[in-house]
Amino acid sequence: MAVIAVPAWALINCVLAQAVTVTALDRTEVRTRAQSSMLRLDAETRPAFRLALTTPRTSYSFGYIPTFTALAIASEDGEIIIQQAADASASFRWEHTSFSISQSGSYGERNFRALAVAAPAPTGSAGGTTGTTPPGGTGTTPPGGTGTTPPPPTGTPPGQTGAIPNTQFRLADYNVTLATSQTRATLQQVFSTRTFGTLSGGYEYGGGIGIQSEQFLPIRKGPLVTVSVRHSVSPADDLTTVTNGTYLETGSNMRALMVDLGEQWTHRWSPVVVGSLLVGASAARAESDGFPRRRTSALVPIATASLEYGFGLSRGRTRVASFLQFVPIIDRFTGDFDQRLQWVVDVNWTRHRLSLIANFAGAQSVLPRVVFSNSTALPFNYYSGTWSVLYHFTHELSAEGGFRAAWVRTEGDAFPLLWSVFVAGTYTLSATYL
């Protein structure tokens, strides 16, 4: 019995403990905030905990990120708000096929005006990596991939906004209770050494909880699906055919359906220069049961261009990534369609432990609302910029300081320009057990 038990126990240990990684980190930030011609002082701490289990053909990840924010410190309207986010994911790999599924959710309070110039919120990915979106972390996915696993697609599929936030801000200066849930499953198949297919589906549900919060941010729910086929026509060129379908219900009266189809060309000009161009069309239909009742449809063009470039400068390494997109967006607050021009420019210079980071992003309504559903809603305008200096004292400890600014056009907002000066520190502990 012992002869059988010892090898079996060794095998179980080998499989279950192939790699167990435990990560804990905390980012604490103190910032000034210009609001209503007055300065406020805010402080925020965001601990994060993650457990990752890896075997030769499977991987699992579990994360939890609470955020504690003290608003208007030492003033009469000072308060503390709490948000919580969690996610879980699993992926499975076979010789020519891979499958992943993920679930993420959040619950808590948010002051949209006060947090408009805060650090990016925690985000979850299909791979289960949940954390704070780092400054300068946008742009196209670099080409790569080994073995039979398909290399990650470059560029951004049509109808998706990549690193650009596609939700409309309303700078209400009161706390809103929010809950969100996102589920996604992705199947990847290798058809040949040059051809790869991806099928991805998901479901989202979220919005305000309570009468006041739901009036401000209606519940939005619905499925989405993406199908793409990528073919490598040469070592430097990929062609991807991709289609997306989205059906969303916003509140109790608004329903929107959007289907788009596009063709994307990705070219690797050199090992450090990658660009992509996508063109296609999107068919959109919106229905409103409110007053007045509306049934509208539209066929509009879509286009996406991206370029990522790396080069040496002043004995450091510079990375520049740009992203430009012309697509219809389902407005988060109204549930109506809005054709928008969106862009992101990232610049990141690193030398040894020092990094200089700049990010510029924006979105602009470019077609009259009468083309879609709601001709009375204001055009959407959003522009933001971040400039910061990041220094790594050790692998575990880093500090960052800089300036953020955002300009958002919203109805009835007398102070659309927001700005903030911030100082932040991040400490990370990670251990891997084999």
Side-chain angles (χ1 to χ4, degrees):
M1 187 70 176
V3 175
I4 299 177
V6 171
W9 179 249
L11 178 62
I12 292 174
N13 268 324
C14 180
V15 173
L16 295 182
Q18 184 73 21
V20 178
T21 302
V22 180
T23 303
L25 66 88
D26 178 77
R27 174 187 169 88
T28 298
E29 176 177 297
V30 177
R31 58 180 175 267
T32 61
R33 169 170 49 91
Q35 177 172 324
S36 303
S37 302
M38 300 180 64
L39 282 179
R40 297 287 191 269
L41 180 65
D42 301 338
E44 178 180 279
T45 184
R46 185 179 295 164
F49 309 94
R50 176 156 301 283
L51 172 65
L53 310 175
T54 304
T55 69
R57 291 192 177 274
T58 61
S59 60
Y60 306 90
S61 180
F62 308 90
Y64 172 63
I65 306 177
T67 302
F68 306 90
T69 306
L71 299 176
I73 297 174
S75 65
E76 295 181 356
D77 54 348
E79 60 182 339
I80 296 177
I81 59 176
I82 301 174
Q83 289 181 294
Q84 301 183 74
D87 71 272
S89 67
S91 62
F92 309 89
R93 298 171 295 277
W94 297 274
E95 184 177 1
H96 300 292
T97 307
S98 64
F99 175 76
S100 63
I101 185 169
S102 65
Q103 172 67 47
S104 62
S106 66
Y107 179 83
E109 292 182 312
R110 183 175 181 88
N111 184 309
F112 278 73
R113 184 182 183 94
L115 299 184
V117 287
T123 57
S125 67
T129 303
T130 299
T132 302
T133 304
T138 60
T140 58
T141 303
T146 57
T148 58
T149 302
T154 54
T156 301
Q160 299 183 14
T161 57
I164 303 174
N166 61 357
T167 57
Q168 181 166 343
F169 288 101
R170 284 186 179 176
L171 304 184
D173 193 14
Y174 56 85
N175 294 338
V176 178
T177 303
L178 304 175
T180 64
S181 173
Q182 292 185 335
T183 305
R184 178 171 288 274
T186 301
L187 177 67
Q188 290 185 316
Q189 178 66 41
V190 177
F191 298 107
S192 69
T193 56
R194 292 188 174 187
T195 305
F196 314 95
T198 301
L199 172 63
S200 179
Y203 189 88
E204 72 166 83
Y205 182 95
I209 303 300
I211 297 176
Q212 184 184 28
S213 297
E214 190 171 348
Q215 286 178 345
F216 172 77
L217 189 67
I219 294 291
R220 185 165 86 165
K221 58 185 178 181
L224 57 91
V225 63
T226 299
V227 180
S228 66
V229 177
R230 183 161 55 94
H231 180 70
S232 297
V233 295
S234 73
D237 296 278
D238 292 345
L239 291 177
T240 304
T241 302
V242 58
T243 182
N244 295 291
T246 303
Y247 176 79
L248 292 174
E249 297 181 6
T250 303
S252 58
N253 297 323
M254 198 70 198
R255 296 179 299 278
L257 172 66
M258 184 168 64
V259 178
D260 49 45
L261 175 66
E263 186 71 22
Q264 178 176 281
W265 170 57
T266 302
H267 182 71
R268 289 168 284 280
W269 303 91
S270 73
V272 295
V273 181
V274 180
S276 68
L277 176 65
L278 179 146
V279 293
S282 179
R285 178 177 174 81
E287 299 180 355
S288 174
D289 295 333
F291 181 82
R293 293 174 62 90
R294 296 191 303 272
R295 301 289 189 273
T296 58
S297 59
L299 180 63
V300 294
I302 59 175
T304 300
S306 65
L307 180 66
E308 184 172 346
Y309 179 41
F311 58 94
L313 178 66
S314 300
R315 293 185 292 177
R317 187 66 181 171
T318 301
R319 172 186 172 272
V320 179
S322 58
F323 180 89
L324 179 65
Q325 188 173 57
F326 179 77
V327 293
I329 294 297
I330 301 177
D331 187 278
R332 179 60 186 88
F333 287 86
T334 67
D336 281 328
F337 293 106
D338 185 23
Q339 187 82 3
R340 293 179 186 172
L341 181 68
Q342 306 186 114
W343 64 90
V344 166
V345 177
D346 271 333
V347 181
N348 190 320
W349 178 83
T350 300
R351 180 183 176 188
H352 304 304
R353 298 181 178 183
L354 177 67
S355 295
L356 304 180
I357 300 166
N359 172 273
F360 308 93
Q364 170 71 53
S365 298
V366 293
L367 291 180
R369 289 290 181 107
V370 71
V371 175
F372 299 103
S373 302
N374 189 349
S375 60
T376 62
L378 282 174
F380 176 62
N381 307 86
Y382 170 76
Y383 312 98
S384 70
T386 300
W387 302 265
S388 65
V389 178
L390 176 66
Y391 187 83
H392 289 272
F393 296 97
T394 65
H395 289 293
E396 297 82 16
L397 180 63
S398 64
E400 183 180 9
F403 175 81
R404 300 190 190 104
W407 190 89
V408 185
R409 177 181 176 180
T410 55
E411 188 172 6
D413 184 11
F415 300 94
L417 179 63
L418 305 172
W419 61 269
S420 171
V421 176
F422 70 93
V423 177
T426 302
Y427 188 74
T428 305
L429 289 176
S430 183
T432 301
Y433 306 93
L434 300 176

